Amino acid sequence: MRAMPFQQTCGQACSEPSMFVSMRPAQHPLLFQDVDGVLNRYIQGTPELDPKLLQNLRRTVDNTDADLVLSTQWRKYPQHSRRLREALQESGIPSDRIVGQTPSLCGGPGCRVQEIKAFLDSHAELLDDGKHWAAVDDEDLSAQDPEFMQGHFVQTNPLQGLTEKRAKELENALVADKGDATFWPVLAKVANKAGILRAL
């Protein structure tokens, strides 16, 4: 196992060094993690991280053995990054699950898919043999690149966050065979309605 200096891959695009250095072996499904509208609900003032939503994420991570890559705006601010790391640890997600963060290529979420692409291009060695990865976000990332995100994206309602239903969809996206990206979402929807996935 080795520490991985992820900050060097961001170059000048990242203004702050990454706080997250993983000692986990490589090759796990990768989950690109947003925070606002996913691990909290939009309320007046500053949203607090929601323990129930964090537990939904923990179950997803446990059930898929996924590693986290921060794509959230929180990655850009050291105080927010520390709070996120603490909250994840308190919810049962150890720090070594966080294996990096996407580079900052623009000021907001408008280029988030481009940032995810850049990370995957630079860290292909982190993906498992099945090249499983997914992103969870309250922004519609599929609108930025529908073909690239097909079968790899779960969108949350910012007023609800990562509900149990969305967490299950995220699990499916992280373990699905992407050989036929158009077939899986249809199969998953049918299976969910029939209760098949819950029985597996």
Side-chain angles (χ1 to χ4, degrees), residues 43-150:
I43 57 175
Q44 187 174 5
T46 302
E48 294 293 332
L49 295 174
D50 189 307
K52 290 184 179 179
L53 303 181
L54 286 162
Q55 285 302 312
N56 291 340
L57 175 62
R58 181 191 61 77
R59 283 192 294 273
T60 297
V61 169
D62 288 347
N63 292 341
T64 62
D65 198 30
D67 286 333
L68 301 180
V69 179
L70 301 184
S71 54
T72 173
Q73 289 288 95
W74 284 45
R75 75 194 191 283
K76 299 180 180 181
Y77 307 99
Q79 182 176 358
H80 287 68
S81 294
R82 284 192 294 271
R83 174 65 190 117
L84 176 59
R85 181 175 59 178
E86 291 169 357
L88 291 172
Q89 288 179 326
E90 290 169 2
S91 69
I93 301 174
S95 293
D96 64 0
R97 288 282 189 176
I98 306 171
V99 297
Q101 61 187 33
T102 56
S104 179
L105 303 180
C106 63
C111 64
R112 191 155 288 173
V113 172
Q114 184 181 354
E115 294 169 343
I116 290 172
K117 287 182 179 179
F119 187 93
L120 288 171
D121 288 344
S122 299
H123 297 291
E125 75 281 357
L126 293 180
L127 285 169
D128 60 2
D129 292 339
K131 300 189 182 304
H132 296 111
W133 66 271
V136 59
D137 208 296
D138 67 315
E139 296 284 341
D140 185 7
L141 301 188
S142 62
Q144 297 180 23
D145 191 329
E147 183 176 358
F148 181 73
M149 296 305 297
Q150 185 175 22

Side-chain angles (χ1 to χ4, degrees), residues 137-171:
D137 208 296
D138 67 315
E139 296 284 341
D140 185 7
L141 301 188
S142 62
Q144 297 180 23
D145 191 329
E147 183 176 358
F148 181 73
M149 296 305 297
Q150 185 175 22
H152 294 281
F153 175 52
V154 172
Q155 184 175 10
T156 61
N157 181 331
L159 297 178
Q160 298 178 347
L162 185 63
T163 61
E164 290 185 11
K165 179 180 178 181
R166 289 290 180 262
K168 188 61 180 180
E169 292 175 4
L170 192 56
E171 287 183 28

Side-chain angles (χ1 to χ4, degrees), residues 2-4 6 20-24 95-99:
R2 58 190 177 89
M4 308 194 74
F6 292 97
F20 305 101
V21 180
S22 174
M23 296 297 291
R24 271 167 60 81
S95 293
D96 64 0
R97 288 282 189 176
I98 306 171
V99 297

